[in-house]
Amino acid sequence: MEGETSWINHCADDGSRDISGYDSFLELSDDGNKEATAVSVDSILPNDLLERILAYLPIASIFRAGSVCKRWNEIVSSPMFLGNSSHFRSQKPWYFMFTSSDEPVGYAYDPVLRKWYGIELPCIESSNWFNTSSCGLVCFMDNDSRSRLYVCNPIIKTWKKLEEPPGLKCPDYSALALSVNRESHGYTISIVKSKRIQENFTQWDLSVHIYDSETMTWVTSWTEMLLGWRGGDESVICDGVLYFLIYSTSSAAPENRHGLLKYNISNRSSHGLLIQNFIPVPCPLTCGRLMNLKEKLVMVGGIGKDRLDVIKGIGIWVLNGKNWEEVARMPHKLFQGFGEFDDVFASSGTEDLIYIQSYGASTLLAFDMNLRNWKWSQKCPVTKRFPLQLFTGFCFEPRLEISP
């Protein structure tokens, strides 16, 4: 398959650092050196039953199981095993944290085993590429021309390059979103492009471009001119509807500088101009991050107080119709645990888990929507090399059975 490679181990540079929570992805335990039991379970289990047992392991353990013996390796590497998604147990989403601004390398956090794994991503050249994920696939778009797009599975390292999208060349702002059908594994990609009209700062061209993996074609499905508002870099697809944030450009700026627009991808309709269906955000925000959690639109935002450019807290909301319902606010003691918090931050999530990360540190905090609790990750095995070093990342589902 195009772009298929093996896992690449990215080990820590400094062995003296605290790396108790870090593992090379293919690192094996010492269990294989222990004395064999009197009866080998492996010898009495048929392949179909052994496949079911191995499928219940965490993703990282499945890869390790392939190094136990030839038989196990053939099972976990077989197309039948990888293609049968029904027998894999549900995996909690991982979080990939970039540790270099020049190379697409970093560590992925597994919340089940509470370990970090060194990973080098395929396709991309640096950490500043746009990214979005859904159901095991991650889509990347370059930050320069914004015309180079790849879809990949970062676990099994399969990838595909897409055709150049239509529309505005070198837009001022672009928002990327991906939605994968969990049954057919077909996927839809959307790009919302925004470009200022001539020298008029209040007028912006906005266009929506849709890619369908089944037809392998792009379609420009919507264009509109916004007055006093512009698009940004935040969008998500939930239950067939594209949502994206817009930002006020008016000199007499409203108290709330953020707003939400939506576009129905399923039937390619909006019931009039998009701006007519404007949804205000719940409070003045310094930063807004959109995500799809079980087909519900969730927003994580920095809450401003007195000055909009200073974060005083972080909230989580779910959109119900046109109304936002507050789910949680980060406790103050956890907020202080990040140290210095900029006016923007990284946050993404899927299923029931939301990750929040400060750009200025490698600290990672997770919020479980079901349990309504906050939990710090294990310490990431990377240290800040210089004061202005920034850390970014994204959330994705670790899956073996899906390829672009």
Side-chain angles (χ1 to χ4, degrees):
M1 186 174 293
E2 181 183 4
E4 186 172 355
T5 63
S6 61
W7 269 93
I8 298 175
N9 297 330
H10 182 66
C11 300
D13 296 327
D14 185 356
S16 63
R17 289 184 300 203
D18 176 14
I19 57 172
S20 57
Y22 164 75
D23 236 339
S24 156
F25 200 79
L26 294 180
E27 183 182 48
L28 295 176
S29 68
D30 295 328
D31 294 344
N33 297 328
K34 294 180 180 179
E35 184 178 352
T37 56
V39 178
S40 172
V41 176
D42 176 64
S43 64
I44 63 176
L45 288 178
N47 278 2
D48 59 342
L49 186 54
L50 183 57
E51 284 182 8
R52 288 181 177 272
I53 294 173
L54 294 176
Y56 273 91
L57 295 173
I59 289 288
S61 299
I62 291 177
F63 273 87
R64 290 194 177 107
S67 300
V68 170
C69 64
K70 181 179 180 181
R71 182 191 179 199
W72 287 26
N73 180 268
E74 290 176 349
I75 288 177
V76 300
S77 303
S78 68
M80 182 176 296
F81 179 82
L82 296 176
N84 189 359
S85 60
S86 63
H87 64 203
F88 288 116
R89 83 170 191 175
S90 179
Q91 305 282 339
K92 286 189 176 182
W94 288 14
Y95 189 84
F96 181 88
M97 186 181 298
F98 288 102
T99 56
S100 171
S101 57
D102 301 320
E103 300 178 66
V105 295
Y107 296 97
Y109 181 67
D110 175 358
V112 175
L113 299 180
R114 292 181 61 78
K115 286 182 174 289
W116 291 89
Y117 304 107
I119 294 181
E120 182 175 347
L121 297 173
C123 317
I124 69 174
E125 299 166 1
S126 66
S127 62
N128 70 343
W129 284 43
F130 292 88
N131 61 73
T132 179
S133 70
S134 174
C135 192
L137 296 183
V138 182
C139 180
F140 295 103
M141 179 174 68
D142 76 294
N143 197 27
D144 297 324
S145 65
R146 304 183 186 182
S147 61
R148 299 162 56 199
L149 285 97
Y150 296 89
V151 179
C152 80
N153 181 328
I155 294 293
I156 61 176
K157 294 298 183 71
T158 57
W159 58 272
K160 178 180 181 179
K161 183 178 181 179
L162 304 184
E163 292 183 0
E164 181 177 337
L168 300 168
K169 302 298 181 182
C170 299
D172 296 314
Y173 297 94
S174 300
L176 182 67
L178 167 69
S179 178
V180 177
N181 186 304
R182 292 183 178 271
E183 295 181 0
S184 68
H185 291 174
Y187 53 89
T188 300
I189 298 172
S190 66
I191 304 177
V192 180
K193 297 184 178 183
S194 185
K195 190 176 182 66
R196 189 175 66 177
I197 297 177
Q198 297 178 350
E199 299 301 320
N200 190 332
F201 189 69
T202 62
Q203 293 183 336
W204 292 76
D205 273 329
L206 182 130
S207 56
V208 178
H209 312 275
I210 307 296
Y211 178 85
D212 186 339
S213 67
E214 295 184 0
T215 62
M216 296 187 291
T217 56
W218 286 95
V219 174
T220 300
S221 58
W222 192 265
T223 59
E224 186 173 326
M225 187 192 75
L226 299 181
L227 181 63
W229 296 88
R230 63 163 178 81
D233 57 4
E234 221 26 65
S235 67
V236 71
I237 300 172
C238 292
D239 198 22
V241 178
L242 168 66
Y243 296 91
F244 57 96
L245 288 177
I246 58 174
Y247 306 84
S248 174
T249 61
S250 173
S251 56
E255 181 185 15
N256 241 337
R257 300 186 63 89
H258 297 68
L260 184 74
L261 297 184
K262 64 179 183 177
Y263 174 73
N264 195 317
I265 293 179
S266 301
N267 55 23
R268 307 289 172 90
S269 68
S270 67
H271 304 292
L273 296 176
L274 299 182
I275 196 67
Q276 292 176 345
N277 295 311
F278 177 91
I279 301 174
V281 295
C283 63
L285 301 177
T286 62
C287 176
R289 303 299 184 205
L290 303 178
M291 55 202 75
N292 178 344
L293 271 64
K294 294 184 174 180
E295 302 308 324
K296 291 285 188 179
L297 177 64
V298 175
M299 180 173 67
V300 178
I303 302 170
K305 184 179 180 181
D306 297 331
R307 293 173 53 198
L308 289 177
D309 58 349
V310 176
I311 288 183
K312 299 299 181 181
I314 291 179
I316 300 175
W317 298 268
V318 175
L319 185 67
N320 186 4
K322 287 191 174 183
N323 299 315
W324 294 98
E325 298 178 357
E326 185 171 316
V327 175
R329 291 202 182 193
M330 184 185 297
H332 187 64
K333 63 178 181 179
L334 296 179
F335 182 76
Q336 289 180 317
F338 281 100
E340 182 180 354
F341 221 124
D342 296 328
D343 59 336
V344 293
F345 54 90
S347 182
S348 58
T350 186
E351 291 299 302
D352 296 313
L353 210 56
I354 296 174
Y355 290 101
I356 300 175
Q357 176 198 356
S358 168
Y359 283 150
S362 58
T363 309
L364 183 65
L365 183 64
F367 178 76
D368 190 306
M369 292 282 286
N370 271 343
L371 302 177
R372 293 292 197 269
N373 68 353
W374 302 84
K375 182 182 291 187
W376 293 106
S377 73
Q378 289 282 11
K379 181 181 178 182
C380 183
V382 64
T383 55
K384 200 166 185 177
R385 299 176 183 175
F386 50 90
L388 296 181
Q389 182 179 358
L390 300 180
F391 298 92
T392 61
F394 61 88
C395 174
F396 71 98
E397 293 181 55
R399 301 178 73 98
L400 298 175
E401 77 281 7
I402 186 169
S403 294

